[in-house]
Amino acid sequence: MLDALKVVTTVVVGVMVGVEFSVAFVINRILDALPGDSGQLGRAHGGRMLGAVMPVWYITSLILVGVWAVAGRHHDGTGAVVTAGALLALSVIMSILLLVPINNRGKTWTPDNRPADWKQQMNRWDRFHYVRVAVIIAAFALLAAALV
């Protein structure tokens, strides 16, 4: 049963990492290259859509890692799993304190009501998101290493 938990947890976290990596390095670059207001409208829609899904995914990942750490506490790799859990907890804290406030503003913007500094706010979100992606990649790498 522990082996199944390890695989499911690693896959759930790995797919989450893939989504967040794609947002950072593919989707937002595509949106930023669109003409006119299309990019801003796309970011607002993405903020609404992913803003509803990702909190559940982050918390589920953290819970799964916590269960793995407890269930496998007497097995090799527990230190890596606990460290991965700490990194995922850090990513949740970063999200709540840094990214969610910007996202909550941005998802309501239209070309008619967006603030003059909307691009600077999106750039700030991007910078925080790059750091968060690095944190969750490190967590994923630790989980993958703990599988061995």
Side-chain angles (χ1 to χ4, degrees), residues 2-131:
L2 180 60
D3 289 338
L5 173 65
K6 291 176 178 183
V7 170
V8 168
T9 302
T10 304
V11 169
V12 168
V13 173
V15 174
M16 180 181 75
V17 167
V19 169
E20 293 291 35
F21 185 90
S22 177
V23 167
F25 297 103
V26 178
I27 295 171
N28 283 347
R29 290 182 182 199
I30 290 169
L31 292 173
D32 290 345
L34 292 174
D37 296 322
S38 299
Q40 185 264 307
L41 291 170
R43 278 183 175 257
H45 180 66
R48 289 187 298 274
M49 189 181 86
L50 291 173
V53 174
M54 296 314 290
V56 174
W57 208 338
Y58 272 82
I59 297 302
T60 299
S61 296
L62 185 56
I63 290 168
L64 286 169
V65 170
V67 172
W68 177 357
V70 171
R73 66 187 170 275
H74 300 297
H75 294 87
D76 292 338
T78 301
V81 175
V82 170
T83 304
L87 289 171
L88 289 175
L90 173 63
S91 74
V92 169
I93 293 167
M94 288 175 61
S95 297
I96 292 168
L97 295 179
L98 303 173
L99 290 121
V100 169
I102 298 170
N103 188 65
N104 284 344
R105 290 189 303 270
K107 69 184 183 181
T108 66
W109 294 338
T110 67
D112 297 327
N113 73 359
R114 66 186 179 211
D117 71 339
W118 73 272
K119 285 185 181 180
Q120 290 83 1
Q121 291 190 52
M122 289 296 96
N123 288 336
R124 187 175 322 118
W125 187 93
D126 288 343
R127 287 190 305 273
F128 291 145
H129 184 64
Y130 294 144
V131 174

